[in-house]
Amino acid sequence: MSKIPHRLYLSEDQIPKQWYNLRADMPEQPDPMINPATMKPATVEDLYPVFCKELARQEMDSTTRYIDIPEGIREMYKIYRPSPLCRAYNLEKALQTPAKIYYKFEGNNTSGSHKLNSAIAQAYYAKEQGLKGLTTETGAGQWGTALSEACSYFGLPLTVYMVKVSYQQKPFRKSVMQTFGAEVIASPSDTTEAGRRILAENPETGGSLGCAISEAVEKAVSTEGYRYVLGSVLNQVLLHQSVIGLECETAMEMLGEYPDIIIGCAGGGSNLGGLIAPFMRDKLSGRHNPRIIAVEPASCPSLTRGRYAYDFCDTGRITPMARMYTLGCGFIPSSNHAGGLRYHGMSPILSKLYHDKQMEAVTVEQTRVFEAAVEFAKRETILPAPESAHAIRAAMDEAIRCRESGESKTILFGLTGTGYFDMTAYSSYIEGRMSDYIPTDADLQRGFDGLPKVD
Ligand SMILES: *Cc1c(COP(=O)(O)O)cnc(C)c1O
């Protein structure tokens, strides 16, 4: 066989025609979501005020293994998919490792991240149902950008509540969203009750994700024909992200490869859940036994130091409760630079798999993450998002271990996006101003104390 290319692009007709629903192959299901109003398992009807019908159905579907991707969604996927599977030859050489390092690059679209894979699906189904518009929140900005792109494509109005500090620090993120026609509002704002209340208490506040979610939800429920959408954590989002793993599977098959170790960064778990889906299927069925590793920031260690408990998915305590690894929905991580990984909980699917010891988790400190990001940029010429660089760090650490043990492992990691809007973070690393804050047990206890009581 000829030498494996630096970047393998599948053809357009190799874009998956179905999403893969990993839950259908899990021997035990994650615990059901609970409706906080009734304290009973949520029904699909309970979800209709929050999600459009098809997405509510997908959220609850734990039996259909493969779900057709509508042609309207595939048409937009074709604009930027399939995404390349890359071989990190230069990084391997620099590390002098016998390991083979592959990465799936999801940053080849304007949002600069994998989030577009689910944004398109969510906007499509909302449009199909005849909804009049969507609202969402964005912290770091990738999700807001992805949804702006998708809504503009399907002709659906979108209001994005953007955390005020981020709005001020990343003005170009805001401009990108506005270019796609989204209305971007710095949160807290005077457009909602929740925002006005917070502003009255603390006029100088820079906002928070929890506050932006509260505003976005209030705006959706008080505007006829609007719904609120979320870009991670949910089962439906992991389902849509399975395109990442399915394309990887096809590409690896073409190369005659199978990963020994699969690595992804984990914020709410959507890219990792999507990347590992077909490989976890093989692991659960006993066909293969890859190691699967979630990488989290040391400042927000949901899997490695969190509790496996029922909690709200949002800081505003409005959403249904899910059993997941969580630091408590009131936990506010220190301001590390990987905004997309500052989430208190973790996908219930990944939480269950981790609880059942089907996958591992590690934490990394952000200075080591940026060291890896800079090394990767120099070797592979892609400037990674700080979130993605968590996976790079762990992949490099595994490759170095291979150098020491002489084992030639095949490593696959998810490169979720690019970091062009994160140059403040890069500057602070390069100028030596970056620090590593790791929460103490007492810090974490305060988050656990706020967990809802469910029995
Ligand atoms: C949002 C984001 C993440 C983390 O989200 P997950 O749902 O855990 O995948 C990772 N990388 C990038 C570039 C992101 O934008």
Side-chain angles (χ1 to χ4, degrees):
M1 192 177 165
S2 61
K3 190 174 152 193
I4 288 171
H6 281 76
R7 288 190 178 196
L8 176 66
Y9 286 92
L10 300 175
S11 68
E12 207 169 85
D13 55 58
Q14 287 172 304
I15 298 173
K17 298 185 176 62
Q18 295 179 310
W19 291 301
Y20 169 56
N21 184 10
L22 177 59
R23 269 179 300 168
D25 285 324
M26 285 170 66
E28 280 179 45
Q29 289 300 307
D31 289 311
M33 268 191 289
I34 286 183
N35 178 344
T38 60
M39 291 307 271
K40 297 223 164 64
T43 63
V44 72
E45 290 80 17
D46 287 343
L47 300 181
Y48 288 164
V50 197
F51 305 126
C52 64
K53 289 198 171 134
E54 177 56 23
L55 292 170
R57 203 193 60 67
Q58 291 179 4
E59 192 61 31
M60 302 302 265
D61 186 342
S62 58
T63 52
T64 315
R65 298 181 70 222
Y66 289 91
I67 294 176
D68 286 343
I69 306 178
E71 202 42 48
I73 294 176
R74 288 191 82 243
E75 278 306 307
M76 194 179 177
Y77 277 175
K78 285 176 192 168
I79 297 172
Y80 69 101
R81 305 203 71 81
S83 70
L85 180 72
C86 310
R87 174 78 184 267
Y89 282 116
N90 293 330
L91 184 64
E92 288 170 19
K93 205 190 288 170
L95 295 174
Q96 297 180 309
T97 176
K100 291 186 262 187
I101 307 176
Y102 289 94
Y103 58 94
K104 179 76 166 160
F105 180 44
E106 289 290 321
N108 261 340
N109 65 78
T110 309
S111 80
S113 82
H114 65 287
K115 292 207 171 66
L116 193 54
N117 300 330
S118 182
I120 292 170
Q122 297 197 43
Y124 172 86
Y125 289 120
K127 185 72 182 179
E128 281 287 286
Q129 195 176 313
L131 295 182
K132 296 192 178 137
L134 294 176
T135 70
T136 197
E137 82 294 335
T138 199
Q142 288 97 312
W143 169 244
T145 308
L147 195 63
S148 303
E149 274 179 71
C151 283
S152 128
Y153 184 82
F154 293 114
L156 203 60
L158 169 68
T159 304
V160 180
Y161 286 90
M162 186 172 187
V163 177
K164 193 179 276 173
V165 275
S166 187
Y167 185 93
Q168 287 160 348
Q169 282 172 3
K170 298 184 177 184
F172 295 142
R173 270 272 177 217
K174 170 189 69 191
S175 311
V176 175
M177 289 184 261
Q178 289 168 334
T179 302
F180 286 103
E183 179 188 18
V184 186
I185 299 173
S187 168
S189 73
D190 60 7
T191 66
T192 63
E193 279 297 324
R196 284 190 291 271
R197 200 167 50 239
I198 293 162
L199 281 177
E201 282 163 18
N202 188 354
E204 299 305 317
T205 178
S208 69
L209 213 45
C211 165
I213 293 176
S214 306
E215 287 205 279
V217 171
E218 182 184 326
K219 169 84 175 178
V221 298
S222 61
T223 313
E224 200 260 311
Y226 268 63
R227 290 289 187 286
Y228 162 74
V229 294
L230 247 179
S232 184
V233 191
L234 299 170
N235 300 332
Q236 54 184 279
V237 182
L238 268 74
L239 176 73
H240 306 148
Q241 296 296 355
S242 68
V243 292
I244 304 174
L246 292 168
E247 284 182 8
C248 270
E249 184 187 33
T250 306
M252 287 244 144
E253 258 168 34
M254 286 169 64
L255 299 173
E257 292 274 30
Y258 196 92
D260 298 306
I261 306 176
I262 307 167
I263 299 171
C265 62
S270 73
N271 87 83
L272 179 64
L275 173 70
I276 67 174
F279 303 107
M280 184 59 91
R281 176 199 62 209
D282 293 351
K283 189 177 171 96
L284 294 173
S285 73
R287 275 208 319 144
H288 286 280
N289 192 22
R291 280 178 65 205
I292 294 175
I293 308 175
V295 192
E296 3 181 73
S299 58
C300 193
S302 333
L303 286 171
T304 46
R305 294 175 69 197
R307 296 266 168 88
Y308 189 45
Y310 270 102
D311 196 6
F312 292 94
C313 299
D314 65 312
T315 316
R317 296 172 170 258
I318 320 170
T319 57
M321 293 184 286
R323 187 158 182 224
M324 58 184 173
Y325 277 87
T326 179
L327 298 169
C329 63
F331 178 79
I332 312 266
S334 70
S335 58
N336 85 68
H337 289 290
L341 302 183
R342 296 183 67 213
Y343 181 66
H344 65 275
M346 185 57 63
S347 142
I349 297 175
L350 293 189
S351 292
K352 175 69 180 156
L353 291 166
Y354 178 69
H355 197 66
D356 291 345
K357 308 213 164 16
Q358 298 292 349
M359 53 182 257
E360 306 162 37
V362 296
T363 59
V364 283
E365 294 92 43
Q366 65 174 353
T367 48
R368 290 194 70 239
V369 166
F370 276 84
E371 180 195 24
V374 168
E375 176 69 10
F376 183 84
K378 286 177 179 164
R379 304 297 167 191
E380 298 293 318
T381 75
I382 296 171
L383 186 93
E387 292 87 352
S388 324
H390 286 67
I392 299 175
R393 176 73 267 170
M396 285 172 63
D397 288 346
E398 289 297 333
I400 291 166
R401 237 164 260 143
C402 286
R403 177 178 72 208
E404 286 157 1
S405 68
E407 284 174 294
S408 169
K409 295 259 169 73
T410 301
I411 300 171
L412 168 66
F413 73 87
L415 188 71
T416 50
T418 48
Y420 299 111
F421 290 104
D422 298 283
M423 298 323 291
T424 316
Y426 274 89
S427 302
S428 98
Y429 173 72
I430 290 162
E431 292 160 14
R433 288 183 283 110
M434 184 173 278
S435 61
D436 293 319
Y437 181 75
I438 300 174
T440 63
D441 288 342
D443 293 338
L444 295 186
Q445 189 56 46
R446 275 192 292 279
F448 299 144
D449 289 344
L451 282 170
K453 304 277 174 287
V454 179
D455 32 45

